[in-house]
Amino acid sequence: MFYIIPVVYTGTLIFLFIIANFLRFHLNLAINNNTTLEDLRAKRDNVSITSQYDMGTQNNWEQIFGKNKCLWFLPIESRNEEYDGVNYPRRHYDDDD
């Protein structure tokens, strides 16, 4: 009976480690406004990219979750009238940079 407790405990720790890394990876994608494919291509090619859709941490987060902070972690749709789901604002780069 007592041999089950270490097995369950170890399994729980492994599961939490996997979920924590999954959360870290997706928070990084949201903050940088990247897709999974863009991130994996950058890692494969060993380059650092800045997405043309990266509008800064706060604006990226609001594009995904909306402006109302009370609704961010509720599983409901937060409509953002600024975006139609197809077209998003892009960062404009100066030619001098």
Side-chain angles (χ1 to χ4, degrees):
M1 179 70 177
F2 291 109
Y3 64 88
I4 294 176
I5 294 173
V7 171
V8 171
Y9 183 71
T10 303
T12 302
L13 288 177
I14 291 169
F15 178 75
L16 287 175
F17 177 76
I18 292 169
I19 294 300
N21 280 311
F22 184 80
L23 178 65
R24 181 188 55 81
F25 177 73
H26 284 87
L27 285 175
N28 184 42
L29 291 178
I31 289 170
N32 294 315
N33 217 355
N34 284 335
T35 65
T36 303
L37 291 177
E38 290 171 336
D39 187 65
L40 292 176
R41 281 189 188 127
K43 288 178 182 175
R44 180 192 67 197
D45 298 339
N46 200 22
V47 295
S48 177
I49 61 166
T50 301
S51 175
Q52 64 180 337
Y53 299 102
D54 184 4
M55 303 301 288
T57 301
Q58 183 71 25
N59 290 329
N60 293 344
W61 194 263
E62 288 177 356
Q63 281 182 12
I64 298 167
F65 293 106
K67 294 188 185 279
N68 188 348
K69 294 179 182 182
C70 296
L71 301 177
W72 280 0
F73 298 103
L74 296 176
I76 59 174
E77 181 181 7
S78 58
R79 292 189 181 261
N80 194 336
E81 302 299 328
E82 295 178 42
Y83 313 113
D84 59 7
V86 176
N87 301 303
Y88 293 93
R90 295 186 207 176
R91 178 186 291 193
H92 298 286
Y93 296 100
D94 293 338
D95 293 332
D96 297 335
D97 291 343

